[in-house]
Amino acid sequence: QSALTQPPSVSGSPGQSVTISCTGTSSDVGGYNIVSWYQQSPGTAPKLMIYEVSNRPSGVPDRFSGSKSGNTASLTISGLQAEDEADYYCSSHRSGPTLVFGGGTKLTVL
Amino acid sequence: QMQLQESGPGLVKPSETLSLTCNVSGGSISSSNYWWGWVRQPPGKGLEWIGSIYYSGTTHYSSSLKSRLIISVDTSKNQFSLNLISVTAADTAVYYCARQLGVGRWAFDIWGQGTIVTVSS
């Protein structure tokens, strides 16, 4: 099963905003409001940052926000901080029912 | 505070069966609010969903692994397990178990630390 499409890398300076896209199809991202975003630092387990497109779990800063338009979901990080440097993965429910992840995006804070 | 912990062999021979268990502590695996899942990550690569199970035993599997996969739950031990048969080097990965939010919500909010499994003779 093909993964969702994410840019391999994005970068930004402290204080700036960055957006990571996640493109799928009408069978996954476009068909359901069940997109999640995870942050993963080297050697650690992923951490849930956004679920159901735009909901933040308790403890996740409001600098992290999610949205969706058509078959593309987006994660925006505003007020970028050095600690935000990590890999980010999107996931979506896909008809089946199954779950599919994106290929991951490496965020570099310049 | 709920915690998940994976356990199992770190080395498996090609063509044999990879077996892992996820022990759940700090809460009941029989909660109707959650599913329980497995996710893996090959070295230097991205995340791949393997499958998920409800405490009743209902499962959802990745279509690419379905023919080799069994996920089971033991509510008396508060744990769930993964069995992947006929493994190859392509199954070498860090394997994570995780709690899945609610029925049909498909987001993993609590993760184990992960366990490295190498397939090699």
Side-chain angles (χ1 to χ4, degrees), chain B:
Chain B
Q1 179 78 2
M2 178 170 285
Q3 292 185 318
L4 282 69
Q5 177 69 57
E6 307 88 352
S7 62
L11 180 65
V12 181
K13 289 182 169 55
S15 80
E16 296 190 344
T17 297
L18 183 162
S19 297
L20 297 174
T21 296
C22 182
N23 186 66
V24 179
S25 60
S28 174
I29 201 170
S30 299
S31 168
S32 61
N33 295 323
Y34 304 107
W35 281 60
W36 307 90
W38 290 96
V39 175
R40 71 180 182 179
Q41 185 170 34
K45 297 188 177 181
L47 302 172
E48 179 185 14
W49 175 71
I50 298 171
S52 298
I53 190 165
Y54 195 52
Y55 77 94
S56 64
T58 302
T59 54
H60 294 313
Y61 291 159
S62 163
S63 57
S64 63
L65 296 171
K66 188 173 185 176
S67 63
R68 300 193 290 128
L69 179 64
I70 294 176
I71 296 176
S72 59
V73 63
D74 187 334
T75 56
S76 67
K77 295 182 179 179
N78 222 37
Q79 61 187 204
F80 61 107
S81 299
L82 162 73
N83 281 275
L84 185 65
I85 68 171
S86 303
V87 297
T88 69
D91 295 309
T92 293
V94 176
Y95 285 76
Y96 296 100
C97 62
R99 186 179 79 172
Q100 183 175 325
L101 285 179
V103 177
R105 303 185 73 180
W106 296 96
F108 296 107
D109 68 332
I110 300 177
W111 294 67
Q113 65 184 24
T115 187
I116 299 173
V117 179
T118 301
V119 178
S120 175
S121 54

Side-chain angles (χ1 to χ4, degrees), chain A residues 2 5-6 10-12 14 17 20 23 28-29 31 43 45 52 59 66 76-77 90 97 104:
Chain A
S2 55
T5 300
Q6 297 182 233
V10 297
S11 63
S17 293
I20 301 171
T23 301
D28 38 66
V29 175
E52 292 169 358
T76 298
I77 309 170
C90 63

